[in-house]
Amino acid sequence: MKNNPTIDIIIPCYNVSQTIWECVTSILNQSYTKNKVSIFLINDCSTDETGKIINSFSKDENVRVFHHKKNLGLSAARNSGINAGNGDIIFFLDSDMSVKPQWIQLHLNELEKKDVIGVVGDSQLPNGIHSNKLDRYLYHPKRGARKIGMGTPVPFQYFLFNNTSLRRSIINKFGLFNEKITTYGGEDTEYAVRIWENHPNGLRFSSRAVSYHFHPREFQDFCKSMFQYGKTNYLLLLKWYPQYSKELGGNYINSIKGKFI
């Protein structure tokens, strides 16, 4: 990777008026060379004050704001940002997250290593937030890419796009996110499958590139989201990639216990 690569940071935004200011401000305060960074804020037809808030950042020469006329989902929002930029490295950050000033550089430290093409960072609760039972599950050290650890290839099912960096050359090779996925869940897994099939050793986890997740959720809300995902996009993933049924949990779903639950 060349020295001081140009950076595109894509932040899809939907009804995040409570968190988007802190998210964008944390990106504007990065220690990385500012004229090498472009920020793309995509308002996916929010119904709250999100659009107004992100418009206030448009005076910054490093920020570009886009407004979808209807809600199209994460895939389309990310694709709008990808198509608008031309940076060497593309970062994806959820709009309810904030990061420390060294966040870009910590991702680049991993991308500089041999054969690494993509990095997913860790997510933590913000300081001072009391964790509930759901939080202790979501942020458990043995869950997701955390259990793989640093320095070891990450399987596709653990490579999410909430705090992630990827070489643009890889996106040029494998195309955009699948816009058939318009509702919660699965769009990042589908994209990770395509990358991983051709670069099974190229994805990594960084415990140092941390994002702080401002998204308090109750267990019932989480279950509703997962139930909706299970009825729709999850079934699409099993249909499109039956060879990875085990990795996607299909074997469990088709078990007696899974059918009972």
Side-chain angles (χ1 to χ4, degrees), residues 170-206:
I170 295 301
I171 288 180
N172 290 341
K173 182 178 180 181
F174 295 107
L176 300 172
F177 285 84
N178 190 334
E179 295 190 16
K180 291 180 180 179
I181 298 178
T182 60
T183 55
Y184 175 83
E187 81 293 330
D188 41 9
T189 301
E190 193 282 328
Y191 199 80
V193 169
R194 285 186 267 154
I195 300 171
W196 179 85
E197 283 185 326
N198 291 273
H199 298 276
N201 297 316
L203 306 178
R204 293 290 189 278
F205 168 72
S206 172

Side-chain angles (χ1 to χ4, degrees), residues 105-163:
Q105 189 58 57
L106 289 168
H107 270 268
L108 295 182
N109 290 346
E110 298 302 312
L111 285 168
E112 289 171 353
K113 297 177 181 179
K114 184 179 179 182
D115 297 328
V116 178
I117 61 169
V119 177
V120 58
D122 199 5
S123 295
Q124 298 178 8
L125 282 175
N127 294 331
I129 300 296
H130 179 71
S131 62
N132 58 29
K133 289 183 178 180
L134 177 59
D135 294 329
R136 290 192 283 276
Y137 163 71
L138 293 175
Y139 301 106
H140 193 279
K142 295 297 182 183
R143 184 174 182 270
R146 296 186 195 97
K147 68 181 179 181
I148 305 299
M150 294 185 64
T152 302
V154 174
F156 67 83
Q157 63 268 39
Y158 303 134
F159 196 79
L160 306 179
F161 280 82
N162 55 357
N163 168 11

